[in-house]
Each structure stands twice: as structure tokens, then as C-alpha cells.
């Protein structure tokens, strides 16, 4: 007799697109997965992904108190069978929220054992189950990663740990995480250096730690090649938290790091909104810096709180911020094998099952709206035209010579002395442009 699968989200059907006028809070108002733009559905453009660690391992705990969020499926006889039932609930959610992808850390989906061998065995059992669920539902793995920051062994870092033993352990763990990512058809593999940084330089050899981080990434590249893993490697920069200073501080320092160590061919960036703001940048800034070098890979979609100094991982409904981000992403040609992964969690008092739906509906709708606005803005080309005209002096004459490397200090001095004289003042027109953007956003 076929086993009837339990319904983990009773009373909630698959979320439907009902349009902006609908009053139904459990419906999409802007995200219509089937709507076609340039021959591709919205689902294919957005490639939304659910972050397993927040959506299915988040309990609402914070440094001042334990979890508040209790899920009915979190019971069972042993950790591995609980992990499998949790996965069933997760896949029901992925389908109902219409997310084509999910992402995980090794330790989110399967419990850590008392030895590495036991951890690997647990992972294999849960991964076999995940593979069946992926096949049955069509939900795919956007990326996998290894948790190299929770276990106390990593308190002083993983690949940047002063103890080579910990480096070795981290290598073994990443090897396995790459194996299972490949097994599940993961399209990318992420490196977020949670504890790859320092608390104080009094006990730290910064140069040696950076060398070790680079050595580790080279070993990962070599291993991927040896198992024929074709997924894109992604670095996820973050300036701080949990460490005081993290080596992958932001995209710009990440690019310098990759180039210094000859890694730039193998990595792109996974840009997280809240990490950008922690680094003192806008989200759009980080996207532009990566895109300028052809290194834009994927997005961890969330938002911080402007009044708080840590990674609050909130769902982002700031359509203005997202529209600016989408302009840069679309101009760069999209995310390729990347997607928009909701690295965002419910607030501690948001304890209902349907809160998980409201949260993701808001995130998806805000991005969908931003996508449509950005497309309109780009199609009309007003900002682009303004920017092109702003740089027009480089399109011909001595400006062109500068860009082509045909000018030098002597020739430019001569030009100014004999012909050009003082430059004419030209306005940057920021207020005019802000108002133009407001008209797109609010009519
Ligand atoms: C933490 C990071 C983490 C990565 C994956 O701040 O965002 O969740 O996305 O390790
Ligand atoms: Ni992230
Ligand atoms: Ni984060």
C-alpha cells in the first residue's frame, strides 16, 4: 500500500498569482511564475531559492534567549529520521511557495555525528532522500556549502585556523560537501568565510592566514576538477560577524584577493544585501563592482535594519533598493547559473506556519515588481542616455585618445595650454534623476 505523505502545511494551497488588486494575502500580487518576458518565464528569470538554514532550521533563538518557533514535524525517533521528515516538509513548502530552487549547508540538512565518518554517513542517508524528493518535485539545488563556523572546532577559523589539523578537517568536510552538491546536481558551490578572519592582531599572522585561505580555495578548485564538478564556485563576502574582521570583506577586496592568488578564473561572487550594507556599501554598489569585472554570480536576497549593526537577515520589501539592484543585474546580463536565494529569516515573534509564506511572498513580490520596473527603465533608456551623454567627451577627439592610450601628459598639457583652457561647469543633475526614478516607482 502506498504510504500517504502527511501534509505539513494544512490549509495552505500552492500560492497563486492573483494580481496587484487581489486582497488575498496568501497570493502573489506581482510574481507570476508563468509570465513570459523575452521568451523566458518569470520563474526562469528569477530562479528563486529557499535557504534551508533559515526556513527549516531557524528557531528564532538569539543571544538573549532560546528559540520560539516550534514546528510540528520536528519530532521523531532519531536525528536522521527527523531530518528526513523535515526535508519532506521543506519540499512541500518549496512547491507551495513555487520556488524552483533551494540551498543548504551540509549540517543544515543532516545532523553532525560524533566522528567525521558518522557525519558523512548521516549526510549520505539524508542526501539520498533529498535526491528522491528533487526527482519527484522538480525542485533543484541552487547551491550547496559547508558549515565551517558552528562547531567549536572552528572557533579560530577553518582554513585560516592557526592549527593545521583544523585546516585538514575543514578540507575533509568541504570535500564531502562538494561530493553531495554534485550528487544533487547543485548548480553552484558557495564559500562564505564566517570565521575566516580575526578577533585581534595580537595573536594573528594575517599574511599567513590569507595564504592558507588561498591554498584552501586552490585545493577546492583542484578537487572539483578531479570529480568533474561543473558548478560555479562563489565567494560570499561579508566584512564582519561573527569575527571582528573577515578577509572576504567586500567584493572589491575579494577581487584583489582572488587576483593576488590566481583564483579569479574559478570564482564569482554571491552578493548578500545585508553584507553589502555592513561593509558600508549599497547593495547596488556591490553588484556593480562585481559586474564591472564579469564576476557577478548570485544573490543572497535579504535586508538589514539601518539602525542595527549586524546581519539581521530580513526579507526585503524595499522596492526602490531592489529596482536599482535589478537595473544593474539586468544590465550585466543576469545571474547565469545563480539565482535569488532568500537568506532571510522570520522575526523571533513570527511563530505561525503561515508567517513563512507571508515572508517569502513579500520577498518574491518585491523582486518581481523590481524586475518589471527595471525592465521598463532600461527599455526607455532615459538614465542610460543621460549617462552616455555625461561621458560623451571621451567618445571622440582627445577624450577618445585618452581611452585608447594615445594621449600622454605632454600632449594633454599642450592641449590645455594652447586650446582648451578652463573646463565648462556641468551639472550632475542628481535631483532631476532622483525625481525621474520616483516617477517610475510611484507613477
Ligand atoms: C551568513 C551568511 C551565510 C551564507 C552561507 O551571514 O549569509 O548564511 O550565505 O554560509
Ligand atoms: Ni548569505
Ligand atoms: Ni548573511
Amino acid at each position: 500500500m502506498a504510504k500517504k505523505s502527511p501534509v505539513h502545511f494544512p490549509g495552505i494551497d500552492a500560492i497563486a498569482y492573483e494580481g496587484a488588486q487581489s486582497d488575498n494575502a496568501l497570493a502573489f500580487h506581482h510574481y507570476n511564475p508563468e509570465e513570459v518576458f523575452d521568451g523566458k518565464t518569470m520563474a526562469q528569470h528569477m530562479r528563486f531559492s529557499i535557504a534551508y538554514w533559515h526556513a527549516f532550521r531557524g528557531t528564532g533563538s538569539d543571544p538573549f534567549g532560546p528559540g520560539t518557533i516550534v514546528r510540528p514535524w520536528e519530532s521523531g525517533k532519531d536525528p536522521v529520521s527527523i531530518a528526513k521528515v523535515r526535508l519532506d516538509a521543506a519540499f512541500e513548502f518549496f512547491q507551495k511557495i513555487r520556488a524552483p530552487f533551494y540551498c543548504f549547508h551540509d549540517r543544515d540538512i543532516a545532523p553532525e555525528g560524533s566522528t567525521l565518518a558518522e557525519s558523512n554517513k548521516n549526510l549520505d542517508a539524508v542526501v539520498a532522500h533529498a535526491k528522491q524528493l528533487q526527482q519527484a518535485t522538480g525542485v533543484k539545488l541552487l547551491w550547496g556549502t559547508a558549515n565551517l563556523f558552528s562547531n567549536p572546532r572552528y572557533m579560530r577559523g577553518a582554513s585560516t585556523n592557526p592549527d593545521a589539523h583544523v585546516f585538514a578537517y575543514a578540507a575533509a568536510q568541504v570535500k564531502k560537501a562538494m561530493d553531495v552538491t554534485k550528487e544533487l546536481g547543485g548548480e553552484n558551490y558557495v564559500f562564505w568565510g564566517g570565521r575566516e578572519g580575526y578577533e585581534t592582531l595580537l595573536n594573528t599572522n594575517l599574511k599567513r592566514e590569507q595564504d592558507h585561505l588561498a591554498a584552501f580555495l586552490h585545493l577546492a578548485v583542484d578537487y572539483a576538477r578531479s570529480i568533474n564538478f561543473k558548478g560555479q564556485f562563489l565567494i560570499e563576502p561579508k566584512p564582519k560577524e561573527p569575527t571582528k574582521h573577515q578577509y572576504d570583506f567586500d567584493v572589491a577586496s575579494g577581487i584583489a584577493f582572488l587576483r593576488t592568488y590566481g583564483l579569479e578564473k574559478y570564482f564569482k561572487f554571491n552578493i548578500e544585501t545585508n553584507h553589502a550594507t555592513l561593509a558600508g556599501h549599497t547593495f547596488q554598489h556591490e553588484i556593480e563592482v562585481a559586474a564591472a569585472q564579469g564576476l557577478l554570480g548570485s544573490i543572497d536576497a535579504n535586508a538589514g535594519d539601518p539602525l542595527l549593526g549586524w546581519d539581521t537577515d530580513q526579507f526585503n520589501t524595499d522596492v526602490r533598493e531592489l529596482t536599482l539592484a535589478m537595473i544593474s543585474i539586468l544590465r550585466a546580463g543576469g545571474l547565469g547559473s545563480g539565482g535569488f536565494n532568500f537568506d532571510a529569516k522570520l522575526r523571533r515573534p513570527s511563530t505561525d506556519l503561515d508567517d513563512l509564506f507571508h515572508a517569502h511572498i513579500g520577498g518574491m513580490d518585491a523582486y518581481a515588481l523590481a524586475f518589471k520596473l527595471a525592465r521598463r527603465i532600461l527599455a526607455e533608456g532615459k538614465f542610460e542616455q543621460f549617462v552616455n551623454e555625461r561621458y560623451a567627451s571621451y567618445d571622440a577627439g582627445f577624450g577618445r585618445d585618452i581611452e585608447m592610450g594615445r594621449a600622454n601628459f605632454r600632449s594633454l598639457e599642450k592641449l590645455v595650454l594652447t586650446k582648451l583652457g578652463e573646463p565648462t561647469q556641468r551639472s550632475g543633475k542628481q535631483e532631476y534623476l532622483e525625481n525621474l526614478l520616483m516617477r517610475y516607482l510611484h507613477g
Side-chain angles (χ1 to χ4, degrees):
M1 201 176 68
K3 205 169 92 204
K4 197 169 163 292
S5 63
V7 175
H8 298 284
F9 297 92
I12 302 179
D13 294 329
I15 304 302
Y17 169 72
E18 293 187 7
Q21 305 312 318
S22 167
D23 257 351
N24 180 3
L26 285 174
F28 292 122
H29 298 85
H30 303 286
Y31 178 58
N32 180 358
E34 276 97 43
E35 194 174 349
V36 175
F37 295 88
D38 295 332
K40 265 165 64 178
T41 64
M42 186 87 122
Q44 289 167 331
H45 279 287
M46 303 311 297
R47 295 168 61 84
F48 286 131
S49 161
I50 308 299
Y52 203 84
W53 53 102
H54 286 312
F56 288 90
R57 301 314 307 271
T59 61
S61 67
D62 71 13
F64 299 91
T68 52
I69 296 169
V70 183
R71 299 304 188 203
W73 54 78
E74 293 289 327
S75 64
K77 37 185 191 349
D78 65 279
V80 171
S81 38
I82 298 171
K84 289 184 186 168
V85 177
R86 183 186 299 126
L87 213 50
D88 294 335
F91 274 78
E92 182 182 329
F93 177 71
F94 302 157
Q95 284 186 289
K96 286 186 167 174
I97 199 68
R98 320 274 299 271
F101 292 97
Y102 72 119
C103 296
F104 62 70
H105 302 85
D106 48 2
R107 303 300 179 243
D108 305 333
I109 56 165
E112 181 149 20
S114 52
T115 62
L116 183 64
E118 201 185 303
S119 300
N120 289 349
K121 196 168 143 250
N122 292 348
L123 196 51
D124 285 336
V126 178
V127 163
H129 191 56
K131 197 170 181 181
Q132 284 171 6
L133 288 166
Q134 285 187 204
Q135 277 159 1
T137 60
V139 174
K140 296 192 278 188
L141 182 63
L142 186 65
W143 48 263
T145 189
N147 180 330
L148 302 179
F149 45 88
S150 296
N151 190 292
R153 86 174 67 86
Y154 296 122
M155 68 180 182
R156 299 185 299 168
S159 68
T160 62
N161 198 292
D163 184 354
H165 186 158
V166 181
F167 182 108
Y169 202 108
Q173 194 181 325
V174 169
K175 172 182 178 291
K176 182 69 181 174
M178 284 169 59
D179 288 341
V180 305
T181 299
K182 177 173 187 260
E183 171 75 10
L184 293 174
E187 299 190 18
N188 307 270
Y189 185 91
V190 163
F191 293 86
W192 170 60
R195 295 193 193 272
E196 310 294 34
Y198 61 81
E199 303 298 339
T200 171
L201 288 171
L202 291 173
N203 64 14
T204 302
N205 185 329
L206 180 145
K207 168 78 166 68
R208 244 175 138 173
E209 292 203 357
Q210 292 190 331
D211 288 350
H212 295 164
L213 176 56
F216 193 89
L217 296 178
H218 272 294
L219 296 180
V221 168
D222 293 346
Y223 184 67
R225 191 176 295 137
S226 78
I227 61 168
N228 203 25
F229 174 63
K230 298 274 184 232
Q232 174 67 50
F233 274 3
L234 299 168
I235 297 255
E236 184 179 323
K238 184 176 184 181
K240 56 189 166 191
E241 196 213 7
T243 59
K244 172 194 173 81
H245 180 96
Q246 280 167 219
Y247 295 127
D248 304 322
F249 190 93
D250 60 1
V251 173
S253 57
I255 291 171
F257 172 83
L258 293 175
R259 294 223 172 110
T260 300
Y261 291 100
L263 286 159
E264 70 277 9
K265 286 190 296 292
Y266 311 110
F267 289 83
K268 288 186 176 178
F269 288 91
N270 183 36
I271 296 172
E272 178 163 323
T273 322
N274 204 166
H275 298 183
T277 50
L278 283 176
H281 303 307
T282 63
F283 183 28
Q284 188 184 20
H285 169 90
E286 289 292 79
I287 294 166
E288 282 283 324
V289 175
Q293 305 299 323
L295 295 176
L296 178 60
S298 198
I299 299 292
D300 265 8
N302 64 13
D305 185 309
L307 300 185
L308 301 175
W310 63 93
D311 201 9
T312 60
D313 287 340
Q314 293 175 230
F315 286 83
N316 196 334
T317 54
D318 181 345
V319 176
R320 185 182 191 279
E321 178 179 49
L322 298 185
T323 301
L324 293 171
M326 285 308 306
I327 289 172
S328 294
I329 292 168
L330 293 178
R331 213 165 35 201
L335 296 174
S337 69
F340 295 91
N341 171 51
F342 291 106
D343 193 351
K345 64 185 176 200
L346 294 171
R347 297 306 88 193
R348 193 163 186 262
S350 298
T351 51
D352 289 346
L353 267 184
D354 71 0
D355 291 326
L356 201 55
F357 284 87
H358 292 301
H360 287 86
I361 287 170
M364 290 159 99
D365 265 347
Y367 261 101
L369 189 52
F371 171 78
K372 291 186 242 188
L373 286 164
R375 278 177 56 89
R376 221 186 104 205
I377 290 169
L378 290 171
E380 293 185 7
K382 290 186 184 152
F383 292 99
E384 207 187 350
Q385 197 189 335
F386 183 90
V387 173
N388 287 344
E389 281 167 14
R390 197 158 183 247
Y391 294 88
S393 62
Y394 287 92
D395 292 344
F398 68 91
R400 184 87 186 128
D401 289 343
I402 292 172
E403 284 200 346
M404 301 305 287
R406 293 189 297 244
N408 59 52
F409 274 12
R410 284 198 182 81
S411 69
L412 294 173
E413 181 196 46
K414 192 168 163 215
L415 257 179
V416 174
L417 290 174
T418 60
K419 239 172 100 185
L420 299 174
E422 192 60 30
T424 324
Q425 191 179 57
R426 287 181 214 277
S427 169
K429 293 242 133 349
Q430 181 167 339
E431 296 77 5
Y432 158 80
L433 294 165
E434 300 275 3
N435 295 354
L436 180 58
L437 178 65
M438 184 163 62
R439 294 214 300 279
Y440 278 108
L441 295 177
H442 305 290

